[in-house]
Amino acid sequence: MSVLNPVLQPTEVKEYLCKGDRFIKWDDETSSASPVILRVDPKGFYVYWTYQSTEREILDITSIRDTRAGRFAKMPKSLKLREVFNLDYPYSTFLLKTLTIVSGPDMVDLTFHNFVSYKENICKDWAEDIMAIARNPLTYNAPRYTFLEKILVKLKLQLNEEGKIPVRNIFQMFPADKKRVEEALSACHLPNGKNDAINPEDFPEPVYKTFLMNLCPRPEIDEIFTSHHLKAKPYMTKEHLAKFINKKQRDTRLNDILFPPAKPEQVQSLIEKYEPSGFNIQRGQLSPEGMVWFLCGPENNLIVLDKLMLYQDMTQPLSHYYINSSHNTYLTAGQFSGTSSPEMYRQTLLSGCRCVELDCWKGRPPDEEPIITHGFTMTTEILFKDAIEAIAESAFKTSPYPVILSFENHVDSPKQQAKMAEYCRTIFGDMLLTEPLEKYPLKPGVLLPSPKDLLRKILIKNKKNQSMSGKRQTSLKKGRNVEPETIEQPTSVDAEDTVWAGDVAEEEPEEEDEQLRNLDEEEIKKMQSDEGTAGLEVTAYEEMSSLVNYIQPIKFNSFEVSAKKNRSYVISSFTEMKACDLLSKFPMQFVEYNKRQMSRIYPKGTRMDSSNYQPQMFWNIGCQMVALNFQTMDVPMQQNMALFEFNGQCGYLLKHEFMRRPDKQFDPFSVDHIDGLVATTVSVTVLSGQFLSDRSVKTYVEVELLGLPRDAKRKHRTKLTSTANSINPVWKEEAFVFEKIMMPELASLKIVAWEEGGKFIGQRIIPLIAMHPGYHHVCLRSESNMPLTMPALFMFLEIKDYVPDAWADLTIALTNPIKFFNLQDKRLVKLKDASGERSGTQTNLSSAETNGVAGSTGKPSIPPSNGSTALHWLFPTWTSKMGR
């Protein structure tokens, strides 16, 4: 249980990072090179560097997307800088001293901070240790107080020439209400004029907490505190705190033996940690202020932290996992115009993506280097080789699990395809899987290998030419030079799978080169309308074909044919429209298909703005590769990033057993129930917000459930706050209830805060199974899923098993029979008083209830608590045996 035993701990910041080292920071645009001292603050919140002028630049560690050292770091292009660093000197040691830190609000808008150390061979350690801090799950999922603590650390890093904190900086940090900031500073007996400054020693953590309590009072927490402490006493005892934890913060569905409730002696350590009064600590008492900091602490993190770590079974077949997948990975903007970049391959892979797409086209003379671009558009080109090098560099930097390269191959030149294959073999080296594993041959009925079997392996998804001899394929796989065979046109893959099945069309047409050459402009536009350029893909020649094994693309025929052939190693790709059509007609067959083999869904070709479709509908039927445009941080991409943040952000998530086991049937459109599963009821009460905007505005919150089609999907919204208060708005409204969630493992809560007028404040999407019930702060994120330091919401979340109304009374009777029968007795007394016929009423009720006769409401009635009668009603067989 997180309240007593937080699972994750922040990464330790090594001493040498805090002490710092001397570097030269250089910039290609200005050709400048300046000596700096590079450091990381002891809490691990910021990387910062100080110039000789004492000017300081600060970089939030959560914005760091990559760190690179040596040959992977940026190299100066400016002639002036190259001379400064002796780059063209034959014995230059530049690569032993260079470090690049990559940061940015998203995967496209990046900044490269370049440093050169005075010492050799230290940059690799700097790169690895900074990346370890940035990649720690708690960096993104820190408790509320950690984000408040970041503000204090930043204020103490931004000192003036006298070494003091300018009050002006505090106003800038809390800009929504200057008057309230002045009053809060005054309450702490601190200077509050805009030209004043505060000595850092006069602003320690206890004083900072007092400042926050005055700036942002928490009346809603005071009410919670009042309802749980001794009447007329201004504190909560150990016993009351333990009761509060067990009643409100603990999941009521947990087994008391496996997950023991909190005991008074255990919570004393919490009081010692959060209570500001030493006198209260000695007496084992918690004040209202201590309650505020307790609810902001790591023990009350909303997220189930052990699910952020690698916790799932990684030994099942690949088809049993959702795989984080990208569409047209090279693009940085729209599908029709914009820049292509190898950097996008680095960024998507670093974010945990495990399937990237390469649209390959024939290069022009004289070099004839294969290129990657979006065909028949105005997007720019990048070299195929540059993309492969970027993939090799970043493939396993943040996840060791296999990477799938989804080739859309338009290179109709045997020579250039051979060059592509050679790049893959030489640049990837041992990372490239060139032949199937011995335990998993490419035979019908044999399951795919697991992610664990394929650790640190790169798999190629490309058409496979089946006409080569076995001996020749073996030679090509091993990279041997062989004489090319004369082949006018390789045969398509698996002719049997090219047959149409009723009104279900193929999804990835295996068109021939001749057809491509004969297409006129009208036909090309038609191909681009839905499938995009996937319909113009050419057949694989020998060298590329030899690299394909477990991910062999074929045309989709029908679910019946696929089941009959039972080949796990073939994959079909579907546009979102075709997949929706299949989903609506054959939902259960689609689920069965995805148990056995893999499917890939990609956006329709008309999404020229690179917008994304909702991935949830395809996860609901077990589609493994639901490919999205990673350059567009819209709601579907936010949901994708939120889901794959869990299980160690490794890029693989194990599907529910109903989507894996052949003996289980699953209909995503099931209305009433799913055999063997208990539905869930979730209620969300939005209580308050903190520091929601830098303006004094009215705000509101939306809460939405994302899940199965038949789940309670209504989007709820709070009222607009009555006053323009963005520092500590309070909502006093009823809970938002999502009564029946069929499969909670597939559901997520989407929470969004808005300003009046619809301006976005922050969002959070969290899988339902990764949320703790109780009172929690929800630290909001940007549209690109980056943690926001200031804004947060305070909510009460209740999660319990769904009980139909007809069984509500029986459930209460079973869980708390004494309480239930006492209530029944009270009801009977009221009935007797109302009717005035005490004896007659009792006789009739007893007769009907003992026989289990339903009352006028249609629900079974319960007898009064007279011992054996009540037990007999609940357990008639058991009490009969006892009577004998």
Side-chain angles (χ1 to χ4, degrees):
M1 181 180 172
S2 68
V3 174
L4 296 177
N5 302 300
V7 177
L8 285 173
Q9 297 296 330
T11 302
E12 180 185 355
V13 181
K14 295 183 178 179
E15 185 179 353
Y16 82 90
L17 294 174
C18 301
K19 184 179 178 181
D21 223 320
R22 296 168 62 220
F23 286 81
I24 295 175
K25 188 177 188 302
W26 59 270
D27 183 87
D28 240 340
E29 291 184 7
T30 60
S31 296
S32 61
S34 307
V36 298
I37 303 293
L38 184 65
R39 296 185 178 94
V40 177
D41 79 274
K43 297 281 188 180
F45 297 150
Y46 302 101
V47 175
Y48 63 100
W49 48 95
T50 308
Y51 294 90
Q52 290 178 326
S53 62
T54 70
E55 180 189 353
R56 182 173 286 172
E57 289 189 44
I58 302 172
L59 183 64
D60 193 321
I61 208 102
T62 61
S63 71
I64 294 177
R65 295 187 170 271
D66 195 12
T67 54
R68 302 168 190 172
R71 64 188 181 91
F72 299 116
K74 283 281 186 181
M75 299 289 286
K77 296 178 182 177
S78 161
L79 290 176
K80 179 182 176 181
L81 289 176
R82 293 183 70 86
E83 289 177 4
V84 168
F85 297 126
N86 293 322
L87 270 179
D88 299 316
Y89 181 65
Y91 303 104
S92 172
T93 58
F94 183 82
L95 292 179
L96 301 176
K97 301 177 180 179
T98 184
L99 169 69
T100 296
I101 300 174
V102 186
S103 67
D106 53 47
M107 298 185 195
V108 177
D109 186 11
L110 301 175
T111 302
F112 296 85
H113 309 275
N114 302 304
F115 302 89
V116 179
S117 68
Y118 285 80
K119 304 173 186 175
E120 296 181 5
N121 300 317
I122 68 166
C123 290
K124 186 173 182 291
D125 290 339
W126 274 83
E128 290 177 354
D129 291 334
I130 290 175
M131 195 65 172
I133 300 170
R135 292 289 303 177
N136 186 293
L138 273 185
T139 300
Y140 268 55
N141 295 279
R144 178 58 183 159
Y145 184 68
T146 297
F147 287 101
L148 295 174
E149 197 177 15
K150 283 180 70 173
I151 299 170
L152 178 62
V153 170
K154 189 170 185 178
L155 287 171
K156 291 190 173 184
L157 287 175
Q158 297 175 320
L159 303 179
N160 61 17
E161 294 178 356
E162 298 173 354
K164 294 183 178 181
I165 303 170
V167 173
R168 183 184 293 106
N169 289 354
I170 300 177
F171 289 145
Q172 291 173 354
M173 196 69 74
F174 304 97
D177 194 326
K178 182 179 177 182
K179 185 177 180 181
R180 286 177 66 166
V181 175
E182 290 175 346
E183 291 173 352
L185 288 171
S186 179
C188 298
H189 309 291
L190 294 171
N192 61 3
K194 68 176 182 179
N195 295 321
D196 291 336
I198 301 171
N199 194 317
E201 286 74 22
D202 296 334
F203 204 38
E205 188 174 342
V207 176
Y208 174 63
K209 285 184 174 181
T210 304
F211 165 76
L212 289 175
M213 291 298 295
N214 283 278
L215 175 63
C216 182
R218 303 297 301 274
E220 77 286 5
I221 294 183
D222 290 344
E223 288 185 17
I224 297 167
F225 183 87
T226 302
S227 64
H228 287 87
H229 74 73
L230 280 170
K231 301 303 179 186
K233 298 289 183 181
Y235 56 80
M236 186 184 285
T237 65
K238 289 185 291 186
E239 290 74 19
H240 285 95
L241 180 56
K243 185 177 179 181
F244 169 77
I245 290 171
N246 293 328
K247 186 177 178 181
K248 294 296 183 181
Q249 303 300 91
R250 185 177 186 275
D251 193 332
T252 57
R253 299 168 298 175
L254 292 176
N255 181 286
D256 285 356
I257 297 175
L258 297 177
F259 302 93
K263 297 178 181 179
E265 56 269 22
Q266 291 176 295
V267 303
Q268 175 63 31
S269 61
L270 297 176
I271 294 174
E272 293 171 359
K273 182 176 180 181
Y274 294 109
E275 174 53 45
S277 166
F279 178 75
N280 284 347
I281 292 174
Q282 290 179 1
R283 296 170 64 91
Q285 299 169 351
L286 188 72
S287 66
E289 183 179 344
M291 183 70 160
V292 170
W293 301 124
F294 167 61
L295 290 174
C296 288
E299 296 84 1
N300 282 293
N301 200 318
L302 170 65
I303 304 299
V304 179
L305 295 179
D306 55 0
K307 293 191 182 299
L308 289 169
M309 301 185 293
L310 188 72
Y311 74 98
Q312 293 182 337
D313 177 12
M314 302 303 288
T315 63
Q316 302 209 24
L318 281 179
S319 57
H320 289 185
Y321 297 85
Y322 298 117
I323 303 173
N324 198 356
S325 302
S326 163
H327 168 253
N328 286 358
T329 310
Y330 50 90
L331 292 177
T332 62
Q335 303 288 308
F336 184 74
S337 63
T339 304
S340 303
S341 171
E343 185 62 36
M344 284 301 295
Y345 288 99
R346 293 187 181 91
Q347 294 304 316
T348 52
L349 291 167
L350 289 166
S351 72
C353 179
R354 297 290 88 187
C355 177
V356 295
E357 185 174 19
L358 300 91
D359 288 355
C360 307
W361 296 81
K362 188 164 64 174
R364 290 178 289 275
D367 297 330
E368 295 191 352
E369 283 288 333
I371 59 171
I372 291 178
T373 189
H374 198 198
F376 307 106
T377 68
M378 298 174 65
T379 56
T380 61
E381 304 169 355
I382 60 173
L383 292 177
F384 175 83
K385 182 182 180 183
D386 290 347
I388 295 299
E389 287 177 341
I391 292 168
E393 175 190 338
S394 303
F396 304 113
K397 196 167 185 177
T398 58
S399 169
Y401 290 97
V403 168
I404 298 168
L405 306 187
S406 180
F407 279 75
E408 188 181 297
N409 198 340
H410 305 278
V411 179
D412 58 353
S413 160
K415 180 181 177 182
Q416 290 197 30
Q417 280 204 23
K419 186 178 286 189
M420 290 164 57
E422 183 62 20
Y423 286 147
C424 288
R425 280 193 292 263
T426 56
I427 295 172
F428 292 148
D430 292 339
M431 292 188 294
L432 183 65
L433 187 73
T434 56
E435 52 187 292
L437 305 179
E438 186 177 346
K439 287 174 58 179
Y440 302 95
L442 301 179
K443 294 180 180 179
V446 178
L447 296 175
L448 289 169
S450 70
K452 186 175 181 180
D453 292 321
L454 298 169
L455 279 174
R456 304 189 69 83
K457 288 296 180 184
I458 294 174
L459 285 70
I460 303 291
K461 171 186 169 286
N462 191 84
K463 290 185 180 181
K464 189 170 181 68
N465 178 9
Q466 306 287 0
S467 63
M468 286 188 295
S469 66
K471 183 177 179 181
R472 185 173 180 81
Q473 286 195 45
T474 302
S475 298
L476 288 166
K477 286 173 185 175
K478 293 180 178 179
R480 295 173 185 167
N481 292 323
V482 292
E483 289 296 320
E485 293 181 354
T486 303
I487 299 178
E488 290 296 326
Q489 181 62 51
T491 58
S492 345
V493 177
D494 208 330
E496 292 181 22
D497 281 342
T498 64
V499 183
W500 286 60
D503 58 352
V504 181
E506 68 257 45
E507 301 303 324
E508 196 172 5
E510 308 286 331
E511 301 292 342
E512 303 295 343
D513 301 9
E514 194 63 37
Q515 290 174 296
L516 174 59
R517 286 191 287 268
N518 293 336
L519 284 175
D520 59 25
E521 189 174 343
E522 288 292 322
E523 289 172 311
I524 289 173
K525 287 181 180 178
K526 185 179 178 181
M527 297 296 286
Q528 286 182 288
S529 64
D530 188 15
E531 290 181 332
T533 55
L536 308 179
E537 195 172 358
V538 300
T539 305
Y541 290 94
E542 294 174 357
E543 285 78 1
M544 279 303 300
S545 180
S546 68
L547 303 182
V548 181
N549 37 69
Y550 288 119
I551 319 289
Q552 298 185 22
I554 63 165
K555 292 180 184 180
F556 178 76
N557 182 313
S558 70
F559 293 121
E560 292 78 9
V561 170
S562 297
K564 183 179 179 181
K565 294 197 172 184
N566 193 17
R567 296 174 301 174
S568 64
Y569 54 88
V570 299
I571 179 174
S572 292
S573 293
F574 307 87
T575 67
E576 56 176 296
M577 301 304 292
K578 293 294 179 64
C580 280
D581 182 51
L582 287 172
L583 168 60
S584 63
K585 295 175 180 176
F586 316 107
M588 296 183 71
Q589 292 92 321
F590 214 152
V591 172
E592 292 302 311
Y593 175 91
N594 285 324
K595 291 179 183 179
R596 180 180 57 255
Q597 60 199 83
M598 292 198 286
S599 60
R600 178 177 178 268
I601 316 298
Y602 61 96
K604 59 185 179 181
T606 52
R607 290 186 181 271
M608 302 307 288
D609 60 349
S610 292
S611 60
N612 287 301
Y613 55 87
Q614 281 293 343
Q616 184 72 47
M617 68 181 90
F618 303 115
W619 291 333
N620 288 344
I621 55 173
C623 294
Q624 295 84 0
M625 301 180 196
V626 182
L628 300 178
N629 294 307
F630 273 51
Q631 72 272 35
T632 305
M633 293 298 168
D634 49 13
V635 173
M637 190 61 206
Q638 290 168 8
Q639 188 179 358
N640 187 79
M641 295 180 75
L643 185 74
F644 284 102
E645 187 172 340
F646 294 87
N647 198 36
Q649 207 171 342
C650 72
Y652 287 82
L653 292 172
L654 189 63
K655 297 190 289 185
H656 193 282
E657 65 171 1
F658 276 73
M659 298 181 181
R660 295 184 275 119
R661 288 175 50 176
D663 60 324
K664 297 283 187 180
Q665 296 293 315
F666 175 62
D667 180 2
F669 294 102
S670 175
V671 179
D672 296 324
H673 71 282
I674 301 172
D675 289 338
L677 285 183
V678 178
T680 297
T681 297
V682 174
S683 65
V684 180
T685 307
V686 181
L687 296 170
S688 65
Q690 296 80 45
F691 306 117
L692 293 184
S693 174
D694 56 6
R695 303 186 299 149
S696 186
V697 293
K698 296 181 179 181
T699 54
Y700 64 94
V701 178
E702 289 179 344
V703 182
E704 182 180 2
L705 179 74
L706 308 172
L708 290 172
R710 303 301 182 186
D711 284 343
K713 287 197 128 177
R714 182 182 166 193
K715 181 190 290 186
H716 297 274
R717 170 179 165 172
T718 67
K719 294 177 182 177
L720 202 64
T721 51
S722 57
T723 59
N725 169 21
S726 60
I727 291 181
N728 62 338
V730 175
W731 290 274
K732 293 186 177 180
E733 299 185 20
E734 294 296 319
F736 300 147
V737 180
F738 301 95
E739 187 176 19
K740 188 177 182 181
I741 303 170
M742 299 297 299
M743 188 180 280
E745 291 84 357
L746 281 175
S748 298
L749 274 185
K750 175 188 170 191
I751 303 161
V752 189
W754 303 90
E755 290 184 6
E756 182 181 22
K759 183 181 178 183
F760 175 83
I761 293 174
Q763 59 84 24
R764 197 72 189 271
I765 300 176
I766 308 173
L768 207 58
I769 60 169
M771 302 177 77
H772 283 298
Y775 292 99
H776 298 289
H777 289 86
V778 181
C779 300
L780 299 179
R781 294 187 177 177
S782 69
E783 290 174 302
S784 58
N785 210 43
M786 299 287 287
L788 298 172
T789 302
M790 301 291 286
L793 296 170
F794 185 58
M795 311 174 79
F796 178 67
L797 184 71
E798 191 174 10
I799 305 174
K800 57 186 180 182
D801 293 336
Y802 166 74
V803 178
D805 290 340
W807 295 97
D809 287 346
L810 178 58
T811 304
I812 296 172
L814 291 171
T815 54
N816 196 339
I818 296 174
K819 177 181 178 181
F820 176 79
F821 290 131
N822 287 337
L823 289 173
Q824 288 297 313
D825 288 343
K826 291 178 182 178
R827 290 175 187 170
L828 287 172
V829 169
K830 288 182 180 179
L831 283 171
K832 292 172 186 175
D833 293 342
S835 65
E837 300 176 358
R838 299 177 67 92
S839 59
T841 302
Q842 184 172 356
T843 303
N844 293 334
L845 280 171
S846 177
S847 173
E849 289 160 358
T850 305
N851 290 284
V853 179
S856 61
T857 61
K859 300 178 184 177
S861 301
I862 307 294
S865 56
N866 57 357
S868 61
T869 307
L871 289 171
H872 179 73
W873 187 90
L874 289 170
F875 309 106
T877 305
W878 180 72
T879 50
S880 298
K881 291 179 180 178
M882 290 290 290
R884 296 190 194 124

